[in-house]
Amino acid sequence: MGMKIYLNGSFVDAKDANISVFDHGLLYGDGVFEGIRSYSGLVFKLKEHIDRLYVSAEAIRLKIPLTHKEMIGLVVKTLKVNKLKDAYIRLVVTRGEGDLGLDPRKCHGKPSIFIIADKITLYPKDFYKNGLDIITAKTRRNLPQALDPRIKSLNYLNNILAKIEATDAGVQEAIMLTHDGFVTECTGDNIFIVKRKTLMTPPVVVGALEGITRSAVMTIARRLRVQCKEKRLTLLDLYDADECFLTGTAAEIIPVVAIDRKAIGTGKPGPVTQLLLPEFKKITTVEGIKVE
Ligand code: PXG
């Protein structure tokens, strides 16, 4: 049996999981999504992901015709149907099929909803041991006053442009700054630094996604009595940090050892990063909604 995709009310073969060329998700990036992960049959922070999906949808005035509970059920069912225990789940809700105009009303309040569950591709193990080299992108993060990066919308071109800069430079990730030079996040990960044993990450209001991994890491840090604060950071703060790491659903916690070819701290993954990493791993094995 091949992969089954949840699409608008039923499970279909991947080859039959098609969306109209008139779908506004495709025509305009008019929609929202989530990237979720399950560990050994436990869907990590599923409720938080679904809550964020609905917040994003509300922000673009997209009404999802399902309750949170129903949506949670569908994610779990997608894993079950595909017999997946360790998986990456992509949940997408678009404005739906309309005409060639922008007006969302032409989509008649019928969003397209689909859920793909697949095996996850991770950064190679080496990067966790040795850390990443990353760069600063020239592409600035979208202005919150224009398109707030807190909305996880299908408009990812801003991030993709910065990701292209990263790959052009031969590195995995790129830091994105605000128009006036404050650090926001990377193209698909939040960023943290450690300075004098204190953990710092930019507040999401500067223009960053309120990452679920980011929140989990802050909670773990507090439990371990590691000082943690949200603070506006500049590139100087980063270059001058003792440690740096990125967080995201796919990456979990991944050390950064160089930024713009400058070594961070000792140029090796630092002690606070190495304290948090196994603690994070631990919660992924015990917290989450069970697939059964
Ligand atoms: N910032 C951005 C812009 C993201 O897209 C994160 C931070 C981390 O958030 P979570 O909630 O995952 O801790 C993300 C999410 C990919 C990919 O293919 C990455 C994400 C989402 C979907 C796909 O690299 N990162």
Side-chain angles (χ1 to χ4, degrees):
M1 188 199 79
M3 184 193 284
K4 295 279 187 194
I5 314 285
Y6 172 84
L7 175 62
N8 296 330
S10 56
F11 285 91
V12 297
D13 290 332
K15 67 170 183 356
D16 302 320
N18 304 311
I19 290 274
S20 164
V21 293
F22 292 98
D23 193 292
H24 281 208
L26 175 61
L27 289 175
Y28 298 115
D30 186 357
V32 294
F33 78 106
E34 278 297 322
I36 313 168
R37 195 160 162 188
S38 91
Y39 294 86
S40 310
L42 283 176
V43 191
F44 187 63
K45 304 275 181 198
L46 179 53
K47 190 178 171 303
E48 288 80 352
H49 279 285
I50 300 301
D51 286 348
R52 187 172 68 184
L53 178 80
Y54 280 76
V55 168
S56 292
E58 206 160 285
I60 67 164
R61 286 223 249 157
L62 170 59
K63 176 118 187 46
I64 302 175
L66 294 168
T67 64
H68 291 224
K69 211 169 153 198
E70 286 167 334
M71 195 62 99
I72 286 172
L74 286 174
V75 169
V76 169
K77 187 142 183 226
T78 305
L79 289 168
K80 205 171 153 185
V81 164
N82 286 284
K83 298 188 171 61
L84 283 165
K85 293 213 174 295
D86 291 279
Y88 181 75
I89 302 136
R90 175 62 55 87
L91 167 49
V92 181
V93 183
T94 81
R95 188 77 66 181
E97 210 174 313
D99 64 16
L100 292 178
L102 287 171
D103 189 349
R105 290 176 303 182
K106 296 288 166 59
C107 301
H108 308 291
K110 278 180 64 182
S112 304
I113 303 174
F114 59 89
I115 308 171
I116 308 167
D118 202 356
K119 289 187 195 73
I120 182 157
T121 44
L122 298 171
Y123 283 124
K125 277 205 168 63
D126 232 39
F127 289 129
Y128 290 88
K129 205 171 98 220
N130 303 324
L132 296 178
D133 276 344
I134 63 173
I135 58 154
T136 309
K138 290 187 182 70
T139 305
R140 297 300 171 106
R141 195 78 177 97
N142 280 333
L143 270 180
Q145 297 85 343
L147 176 55
D148 199 317
R150 277 191 284 178
I151 303 168
K152 202 164 167 63
S153 85
L154 294 179
N155 272 272
Y156 253 50
L157 256 187
N158 183 221
N159 311 51
I160 290 165
L161 290 174
K163 183 77 173 183
I164 291 169
E165 291 187 53
T167 51
D168 280 352
V171 300
Q172 301 287 327
E173 258 293 10
I175 296 163
M176 301 185 75
L177 306 176
T178 59
H179 71 100
D180 55 351
F182 290 98
V183 175
T184 63
E185 60 179 339
C186 289
T187 69
D189 299 293
N190 291 107
I191 189 163
F192 285 80
I193 59 165
V194 180
K195 184 73 186 170
R196 285 183 222 96
K197 305 260 188 310
T198 298
L199 204 52
M200 287 178 254
T201 191
V204 292
V205 293
V206 303
L209 186 70
E210 191 162 359
I212 304 236
T213 319
R214 173 185 181 275
S215 301
V217 164
M218 291 197 285
T219 303
I220 293 168
R222 290 191 188 108
R223 179 162 54 72
L224 298 177
R225 305 261 185 271
V226 175
Q227 270 249 38
C228 179
K229 54 186 176 197
E230 294 180 86
K231 192 172 182 295
R232 288 211 298 178
L233 302 170
T234 66
L235 271 179
L236 184 61
D237 294 308
L238 266 49
Y239 296 153
D240 191 39
D242 300 326
E243 299 178 41
C244 178
F245 61 83
L246 311 182
T247 64
T249 293
E252 302 178 326
I253 296 174
I254 190 155
V256 170
V257 293
I259 300 174
D260 299 328
R261 314 293 173 193
K262 293 183 243 298
I264 302 304
T266 61
K268 295 214 166 66
V272 177
T273 309
Q274 282 170 316
L275 172 73
L276 294 170
L277 228 159
E279 288 299 320
F280 181 82
K281 284 256 184 233
K282 213 183 284 171
I283 68 165
T284 64
T285 66
V286 293
E287 287 182 15
I289 292 178
K290 202 172 167 68
V291 180
E292 51 189 2

